[in-house]
Amino acid sequence: MSGSPDEEKLEELRQQKMEQLQDRAESQQSEASQEAAQQQAEAQKNALLRQHLTDDARKRLNTVKMSKPQFGEQVERQVVSLARSGRIQGQIDDDKMKQLLKELKPDSQSFDIQRR
């Protein structure tokens, strides 16, 4: 008779372990699908940028992203939204990129320090 409760406990533990493994597998699948969707969106963005930016404009944008990542991402989003809405005729060259960067550049604050 003492063997029966132990077997029940053992079966209960096996069931809990199986549920944990299933939960873990489901979470890994959802993470993988989210990552795949993110990679696909990034690839689409890069394809749009390649299509609508000249090599020089792309180099300038990459330089901006290296020095100011958040501002570079903002410019990329702007170019992608312009491309998707159809407001870009032809390609954006280096001069147009400079103009776009000036328009999107946040107002820099100047500080006047006076010593007495």
Side-chain angles (χ1 to χ4, degrees), residues 39-103:
Q39 286 177 350
Q40 184 178 4
E42 186 71 22
Q44 288 176 345
K45 179 182 80 166
N46 288 336
L48 271 174
L49 290 174
R50 262 187 259 113
Q51 181 181 355
H52 292 286
L53 296 178
T54 63
D55 289 338
D56 291 335
R58 223 173 319 132
K59 286 178 187 176
R60 184 170 298 279
L61 181 59
N62 286 336
T63 303
V64 169
K65 281 179 58 177
M66 294 289 277
S67 62
K68 298 178 182 176
Q70 291 176 340
F71 181 59
E73 290 293 324
Q74 178 188 356
V75 173
E76 277 186 349
R77 285 192 303 269
Q78 184 69 28
V79 170
V80 168
S81 68
L82 288 172
R84 286 186 177 154
S85 67
R87 291 188 280 171
I88 296 178
Q89 290 85 21
Q91 285 191 321
I92 295 177
D93 61 0
D94 194 40
D95 292 331
K96 288 181 184 176
M97 180 56 76
K98 285 180 188 177
Q99 183 181 0
L100 183 63
L101 290 171
K102 283 181 184 176
E103 289 175 9

Side-chain angles (χ1 to χ4, degrees), residues 24-36:
R24 190 177 298 157
E26 288 173 2
S27 68
Q28 287 176 349
Q29 286 177 343
S30 67
E31 287 174 8
S33 65
Q34 287 175 350
E35 187 175 320

